[in-house]
Amino acid sequence: MTTSLHRLALRTAAHAALAFATLAASAPGFAQSAAEKLDALDKRITRLEDMNQIERLQRTYGYFVDKSQWTQLSHLFADDATLEIGGKGLFLGKPRVLEYMQTAFGPDGAKEGSLANHMQFQSIPDISADGKTGWIRSRAYVMSIGGWGLPLYENEYRKENGVWKISRLTGPFTMYTNWEGWGKNALNNTWPDKFDPPPDLPPSTVYLTYPAYYIVPFHYPNPVTGKAFAPDRGEVGAYAAPPGTPEQAESLKVGRLADGTQPIAEPPRK
Amino acid sequence: MKHFGCLSLIRSSSSRPAIEGLFLVMLAFSSATAMAQTSLEDRVAAYRERVARLEDQDAVENLQAMFGYYFDKGLWSEAADLFARNGSFEYGLSGVYIGQERIRRAMLLFGPQGLSQGYLNNHMQLQPIITVAPNGRAATGRWQGPVQLSEPGANGVWGVGIYENEYVKEGGVWKISKLHFYPTAFTDYDRGWARSLLPMKGPSALFPPDKPPTVVYRSMPGNYIPPFSFNHPVTGEPLKNLPQAADSVTGRK
């Protein structure tokens, strides 16, 4: 990608120079054209830099979680950011992000005898056409004193005065287990009053974790077909009971809003 | 956040003279458009720099990943070749080995060249935060390094740790100038962190290091935070003096 951009830079410059050489009389018009080409090039380079930068934000978030650096972590967020992790519900605003972390997980600074690695892998970054908004789907691979965990992320980022910040962190859980592993043990998803502090809003989406099944919607279309992911409204949801039972039929409605859609963790629509 | 969009020109690129020639043609034409021409040239120069830094970041990322694939399989010779002339290698509390030949031999402490049946030496290189210097000649990288170990006759071991490395571009080629792996916890595969904590090895008596460990710290149950090479991505402040866990052995409060 970067190499082809490099070639484009050279080509653009060459075209600009040739335009001047052959049609100097109408140079202003061609100068504009060359400038426009450079504008387009600038946009493409900026997009690559922006994708790198939001990945850097997400990875740094992981390094801060590993060592309970909550104050530093909160500074990664925009003032009006939202945070939703597991089934705990939505926290609104940067101060509440900090309060959530410090109340739920203790003060800044990793404790002796503790391990809480949230390793950040497999990111798929995207940037909006206007360059102001970004998204990442990625995962955390949790290796902690309590066992193993698999959160996903479908996060949103915003560029404010040239600086990228997390504007929405959405970390739905796939699976949590103790050291015995998921063959023997599976923990429930969290819920709003499982631990303090209580959220500002209830969960945007209700779903169950493994061994139940929930597909977190993708912020991007299939890169080959271009088709957006469409959840199967008849069958998608959390499988909480054996197939064919009334409990299971009911649970198929879990994992979406009352209108049948599966938003990516935005506050409920009015 | 820094885009390194400085206007200084790279003179080492082979395609540069051709472009400069074309710009001279441009400049020979109209003085009325001189400002526009200067602006175009400056912009192309700035974009070349930005693309070069993106390429540097990719190259450093690949270099460290390649180190990992060699190291996994005990290809010590190939791994040592990735270091700069005075490059250094430091693993936990084992001390510092300096130069390719010393590093090559020091790696034999992890097992024979190429390892053999019954060995597992996975050192994954993940979650990179790479910072390339504005001049494109040096870089730093922080990496997340989960570890999976086994050797004949021993039970498997899980590990976690952090790399804080430095890189240098010599003759247009990126090399490792400093590799420092801070393992922060090891445990028995079956027992896990809550019931088993394995200590780090100290400096070898068989093949002593060139220098003692640059940082003395305790792996889990200690909860050491390896220093950060990069600044906070939003505030831009250095990540220094972060709150650390107290350590009853080293006396850190």
Side-chain angles (χ1 to χ4, degrees):
Chain A
M1 177 85 81
T2 50
T3 305
S4 66
L5 264 181
H6 194 85
R7 283 197 209 99
L8 182 70
L10 298 180
R11 234 183 8 246
T12 305
H15 288 165
L18 286 171
F20 273 95
T22 53
L23 285 162
S26 55
F30 279 90
Q32 190 182 15
S33 162
E36 282 169 4
K37 285 178 182 172
L38 285 174
D39 286 345
L41 183 61
D42 186 12
K43 272 197 169 181
R44 290 173 64 186
I45 300 172
T46 302
R47 181 168 166 274
L48 291 172
E49 291 168 339
D50 287 344
M51 289 197 294
N52 280 351
Q53 193 58 28
I54 62 175
E55 284 191 329
R56 191 180 187 90
L57 266 181
Q58 188 59 33
R59 292 169 187 173
T60 303
Y61 170 87
Y63 285 125
F64 289 157
V65 173
D66 292 353
K67 299 295 183 181
S68 300
Q69 298 299 322
W70 310 128
T71 301
Q72 299 290 347
L73 178 145
S74 73
H75 291 324
L76 298 171
F77 286 76
D79 288 344
D80 61 347
T82 66
L83 176 140
E84 181 176 18
I85 294 175
K88 185 79 177 108
L90 278 148
F91 291 81
L92 309 181
K94 182 173 164 180
R96 288 284 283 160
V97 169
L98 182 59
E99 186 186 346
Y100 168 75
M101 294 292 179
Q102 290 183 329
T103 305
F105 309 115
D108 284 15
K111 290 183 282 294
E112 196 172 60
S114 169
L115 179 73
N117 272 13
H118 283 57
M119 302 185 274
Q120 306 288 313
F121 300 159
Q122 205 176 339
S123 50
I124 300 188
D126 281 294
I127 301 291
S128 65
D130 67 6
K132 293 176 184 166
T133 309
W135 300 270
I136 286 183
R137 187 184 184 92
S138 63
R139 66 169 78 245
Y141 186 44
V142 178
M143 204 179 207
S144 77
I145 185 123
W148 308 90
L150 297 176
L152 274 172
Y153 297 99
E154 268 287 1
N155 295 347
E156 189 178 273
Y157 306 81
R158 190 195 303 144
K159 201 176 196 176
E160 292 180 353
N161 300 320
V163 179
W164 283 101
K165 299 174 184 176
I166 301 172
S167 56
R168 171 172 57 75
L169 185 136
T170 304
F173 294 159
T174 301
M175 184 283 301
Y176 267 84
T177 181
N178 63 13
W179 193 259
E180 299 301 313
W182 54 89
K184 295 182 181 171
N185 173 282
L187 300 178
N188 289 331
N189 197 3
T190 52
W191 55 91
D193 59 352
K194 187 181 182 187
F195 51 84
D196 282 336
D200 297 306
L201 288 171
S204 61
T205 304
V206 177
Y207 63 94
L208 300 177
T209 52
Y210 174 88
Y213 165 88
Y214 167 58
I215 298 174
V216 180
F218 304 83
H219 77 256
Y220 49 89
N222 180 299
V224 174
T225 67
K227 286 182 189 164
F229 172 73
D232 180 343
R233 296 190 179 191
E235 291 292 333
V236 175
Y239 288 73
T245 60
E247 291 81 4
Q248 173 55 11
E250 181 60 27
S251 75
L252 291 178
K253 297 173 188 163
V254 174
R256 69 190 71 183
L257 296 183
D259 66 2
T261 60
Q262 285 188 296
I264 305 178
E266 286 165 354
R269 275 163 275 172
K270 285 170 187 160
Chain B
M1 261 311 104
K2 295 180 187 68
H3 283 172
F4 303 134
C6 60
L7 300 180
S8 64
L9 304 179
I10 291 180
R11 294 293 175 187
S12 60
S13 167
S14 59
S15 51
R16 183 76 205 166
I19 292 300
E20 282 179 347
L22 288 167
F23 274 112
L24 287 176
V25 171
M26 288 170 62
L27 291 168
F29 275 84
S30 168
S31 61
T33 54
M35 296 229 349
Q37 288 161 12
T38 305
S39 166
L40 287 176
E41 183 176 19
D42 285 351
R43 289 182 68 185
V44 172
Y47 296 170
R48 286 175 58 89
E49 286 290 304
R50 287 166 64 190
V51 171
R53 294 299 84 75
L54 289 168
E55 290 173 334
D56 287 336
Q57 182 174 333
D58 271 359
V60 168
E61 187 170 329
N62 286 353
L63 175 66
Q64 185 64 30
M66 289 170 180
F67 170 85
Y69 287 127
Y70 289 146
F71 198 78
D72 288 352
K73 296 300 179 188
L75 299 173
W76 314 131
S77 196
E78 289 78 357
D81 286 342
L82 303 179
F83 284 77
R85 184 187 303 272
N86 291 314
S88 66
F89 172 78
E90 182 173 10
Y91 188 114
L93 297 183
S94 299
V96 187
Y97 294 89
I98 299 168
Q100 287 191 0
E101 288 316 306
R102 297 280 297 170
I103 292 170
R104 210 182 307 275
R105 281 180 65 191
M107 287 180 181
L108 288 167
L109 296 169
F110 292 82
Q113 167 80 15
L115 294 176
S116 62
Q117 219 172 2
Y119 275 96
L120 186 67
N121 192 49
N122 267 17
H123 284 71
M124 294 183 258
Q125 314 287 324
L126 308 166
Q127 203 179 332
I129 306 240
I130 293 162
T131 308
V132 181
N135 67 10
R137 290 179 193 154
T140 59
R142 188 182 187 87
W143 302 76
Q144 182 80 258
V147 173
Q148 298 161 312
L149 301 176
S150 190
E151 55 185 275
N155 203 20
V157 167
W158 272 109
V160 295
I162 295 288
Y163 297 81
E164 270 290 354
N165 298 343
E166 293 176 10
Y167 308 88
V168 63
K169 190 154 64 176
E170 288 181 350
V173 178
W174 282 100
K175 298 176 185 175
I176 302 169
S177 52
K178 185 178 114 180
L179 187 147
H180 192 165
F181 183 44
Y182 299 81
T184 51
F186 286 111
T187 188
D188 178 87
Y189 176 87
D190 290 309
R191 300 182 70 207
W193 314 108
R195 290 182 289 170
S196 156
L197 294 172
L198 305 174
M200 287 187 283
K201 288 174 183 162
S204 170
L206 283 175
F207 187 61
D210 298 305
K211 287 183 185 170
T214 55
V215 180
V216 176
Y217 67 99
R218 193 159 62 121
S219 60
M220 194 172 168
N223 205 332
Y224 179 68
I225 305 177
F228 288 79
S229 55
F230 60 96
N231 294 339
H232 193 288
V234 171
T235 67
E237 296 294 319
L239 295 168
K240 297 195 188 305
N241 304 316
L242 298 181
Q244 293 249 20
D247 191 308
S248 51
V249 173
T250 65
R252 189 182 61 235
K253 297 186 178 170

